[in-house]
Amino acid sequence: MTVRIPLALPYFDASEQEAIAGVITSGWVTQGRVVADFEGGVASYVGAASAVATSSCTTAIHLALVLSGIGEGDEVIVPSLTYIATANPIVYQKAVPVFADIDLLTYNLDAVKVEEKITTRTKAIIVVHQFGLSADLDALFALADQYHLVVIQDGACALGAEYKGRKIGSMGDLVCLSFHPRKIITTGEGGMILTNNPVLADKARVLRSHGASISDLERHTAGCVLFEKYEELGYNYRLTDVQAAMGLMQLRKIDDILCKRRTLARRYNELLRDIPGITPPYEPTYATHNYQSYCERLSEDCPVSRTTVMEKMLEFGIATRPGCMAIHQEPFYRRLAGRIHLPLTEKAADSTILLPLFPSMTSEMQDEVVERLRHIVRGG
Ligand SMILES: *Cc1c(COP(=O)(O)O)cnc(C)c1O
C-alpha cells in the first residue's frame, strides 16, 4: 500500500540547500562557526541564556546527566510513556531509571505519582513535554526544590511550546531539544542543551568535544598557537556546521511552522468532536501546545481495536502511529527493572493514535483523514 498522506513531513524549501552549499564551498565544515550561530538563534528564540548543540537529543540528555553528576546507583525518576531515548542515557551512566505514571489528560508526569517514587537515592527527575505539550513545571519544580533534586527537561518535541506564557527552554537549567526529522525543526539528526547557567554551558561545550579545554572554533579564531588539555572524560557529541546551516534556515520558518500546526490541530479538534469514541488532545490553561504530534485516544467503548483502525487507515493510504510506547514494557527494561505496573501509562500506550499533521498538509487531506476515521470507528 502506498502512503498518500504521511504522518509527518519536514518543511523545506530551497533555502536549506543553498545554506548547506554555502558551508561546503566556504571550506568551513567542522570548525563550529555556523553551529555557534545556530545556538545563538535558538537561545534567543526561546529566551535561554545559553545553548550547546549536540549530535542528538539522546546525547544532550546524556550530557545533562553527566553535568548533574548522576552516576552508578543514583535513581532518576522518568516517565515510561515516552520514547526510549529519554531513559537510555540513565543506563549509560549506570544509574537507575525509576518509572512514574502520568496524567491521562496531558500524557505528562503527574507530580503526585513522582513524589511516591522518591527515595533517599533519588537524584534527578527527567520531565518530558510529551507530544509538544508542556508538563506542569511549577508543580514539578516545587517537588524538586523540596527534595533537592535536579530537573532535566526532555523537550525533544517542545520547541516553541509554552508554559504560562514562557517558551520551553527559558525555564530551568537543563533543557534538551531534538532536531530529528519528526520534530518541529530538523537538521537531519541533531540536538541541543539550553541552560540559564553559564558554568553548565561551558562544561557542556567541553564534554561534547572529547573533553578538550579549547574548541576548534577558539583555535581557528585565536591567531596564536593554543594547546588544549583534557581534564575529564569527554565524548564526540558535536553537531556539524552543515547540519547547523540547515537548522538556521529551519529556524527562520518556525513561526510559520507553529502557526500552520496549531491551525491544523484546532481544525482536527473541531472535526473530531462529534465522533463518539475519540478523545482529542487536551490543552490545559497553563500550556500552549505546539502540536509536534496530534495524539487522540480511543475510548473503551470504541467498537474497533486500535490495530484495526490503523490497518484500515493504511488501506486508504493514510499513515498513523501508536501514540507512544511504554518503556517499562520493552524487553530490555523488563530485564533491568522487572515487571512493574503503571495503569495510566499502559492505558495511554494501548489506546492512543497519532494522526497525520505537517505544515504542508491541506484541509482536503485533513477532511479525508477525518472522514475515513469516522467511518472506521463506527465499525464500517
Ligand atoms: C525524539 C525524542 C527523543 C530522541 O531524540 P533524538 O534527537 O532522536 O535523539 C527523546 N525524547 C523524546 C520525548 C522524543 O520524542
Side-chain angles (χ1 to χ4, degrees), residues 110-371:
D110 180 335
V112 175
K113 310 269 174 55
V114 171
E115 188 166 18
E116 289 167 5
K117 301 279 179 169
I118 295 174
T119 73
T120 52
R121 287 182 302 276
T122 308
K123 293 280 161 57
I125 308 171
I126 301 184
V127 174
V128 179
H129 305 298
Q130 195 51 260
F131 307 128
L133 178 72
S134 166
D136 190 357
L137 277 174
D138 283 349
L140 293 159
F141 280 146
L143 200 61
D145 268 356
Q146 190 185 336
Y147 292 92
H148 308 291
L149 307 176
V150 171
V151 175
I152 294 168
Q153 294 172 62
D154 176 346
C157 307
L159 185 58
E162 291 174 18
Y163 179 70
K164 297 187 177 173
R166 294 181 61 185
K167 287 203 172 67
I168 295 301
S170 64
M171 298 154 285
D173 277 340
L174 290 164
V175 186
C176 303
L177 301 179
S178 172
F179 304 117
H180 180 273
R182 279 279 303 279
K183 314 301 181 184
I184 294 291
I185 64 169
T186 185
T187 59
E189 297 277 4
M192 200 172 272
I193 298 177
L194 299 167
T195 181
N196 289 311
N197 180 330
V199 178
L200 289 179
D202 286 344
K203 250 191 123 176
R205 283 200 177 86
V206 170
L207 289 176
R208 80 164 164 193
S209 195
H210 305 287
S213 59
I214 293 160
S215 70
D216 282 351
L217 184 59
E218 282 167 313
R219 195 190 353 268
H220 284 279
T221 51
C224 59
V225 177
L226 292 175
F227 298 93
E228 73 260 31
K229 281 213 159 17
Y230 298 83
E231 307 266 6
E232 274 177 88
L233 177 67
Y235 307 86
N236 181 353
Y237 284 173
R238 289 182 305 241
L239 192 77
T240 65
D241 279 342
V242 169
Q243 291 166 306
M246 184 191 296
L248 272 172
M249 294 305 115
Q250 288 269 288
L251 190 60
R252 282 195 191 170
K253 302 185 192 104
I254 192 163
D255 287 332
D256 188 26
I257 289 172
L258 291 171
C259 177
K260 288 188 156 76
R261 284 189 167 280
R262 288 185 178 128
T263 304
L264 286 162
R266 283 176 190 141
R267 193 159 179 275
Y268 262 142
N269 292 345
E270 283 298 307
L271 296 170
L272 294 176
R273 211 166 42 180
D274 63 338
I275 304 183
I278 287 190
T279 310
Y282 173 72
E283 194 175 27
T285 52
Y286 59 70
T288 308
H289 213 309
N290 70 7
Y291 294 102
Q292 179 270 334
S293 288
Y294 188 87
C295 181
E296 46 104 6
R297 190 158 51 83
L298 299 180
S299 58
E300 278 110 79
D301 56 10
C302 184
V304 279
S305 74
R306 179 175 67 173
T307 306
T308 305
V309 171
M310 293 179 63
E311 283 170 355
K312 293 205 167 185
M313 292 293 274
L314 191 59
E315 280 171 27
F316 292 114
I318 300 168
T320 59
R321 283 279 287 268
C324 196
M325 66 192 298
I327 303 178
H328 72 285
Q329 293 179 321
E330 292 303 319
F332 175 76
Y333 282 95
R334 274 238 163 105
R335 287 199 302 273
L336 195 79
R339 259 171 218 278
I340 54 169
H341 185 43
L342 299 166
L344 299 180
T345 295
E346 286 156 27
K347 189 168 183 171
D350 291 341
S351 61
T352 49
I353 301 183
L354 303 186
L355 295 183
L357 181 69
F358 45 91
S360 57
M361 188 180 199
T362 63
S363 43
E364 290 73 27
M365 289 178 192
Q366 199 174 26
D367 289 341
E368 187 183 337
V369 171
V370 171
E371 286 323 303

Side-chain angles (χ1 to χ4, degrees), residues 10-26:
Y11 195 50
F12 290 138
D13 55 31
S15 67
E16 285 84 5
Q17 238 175 306
E18 284 164 22
I20 291 166
V23 172
I24 293 168
T25 52
S26 77

Side-chain angles (χ1 to χ4, degrees), residues 18-67:
E18 284 164 22
I20 291 166
V23 172
I24 293 168
T25 52
S26 77
W28 284 87
V29 181
T30 58
Q31 284 90 342
R33 189 173 278 186
V34 190
V35 169
D37 287 348
F38 182 45
E39 289 169 338
V42 176
S44 76
Y45 173 73
V46 302
S50 302
V52 181
T54 56
S55 53
S56 70
C57 184
T58 310
T59 55
I61 294 170
H62 187 202
L63 286 188
L65 290 164
V66 174
L67 290 166

Side-chain angles (χ1 to χ4, degrees), residues 47-119:
S50 302
V52 181
T54 56
S55 53
S56 70
C57 184
T58 310
T59 55
I61 294 170
H62 187 202
L63 286 188
L65 290 164
V66 174
L67 290 166
S68 306
I70 305 298
E72 189 159 2
D74 292 336
E75 291 180 4
V76 179
I77 298 175
V78 63
S80 168
L81 190 87
T82 177
Y83 189 54
I84 198 159
T86 309
N88 284 346
I90 301 170
V91 184
Y92 302 164
Q93 283 307 99
K94 299 187 167 59
V96 181
V98 175
F99 296 109
D101 212 352
I102 50 151
D103 167 16
L104 196 57
L105 273 178
T106 63
Y107 305 116
N108 282 323
L109 274 183
D110 180 335
V112 175
K113 310 269 174 55
V114 171
E115 188 166 18
E116 289 167 5
K117 301 279 179 169
I118 295 174
T119 73

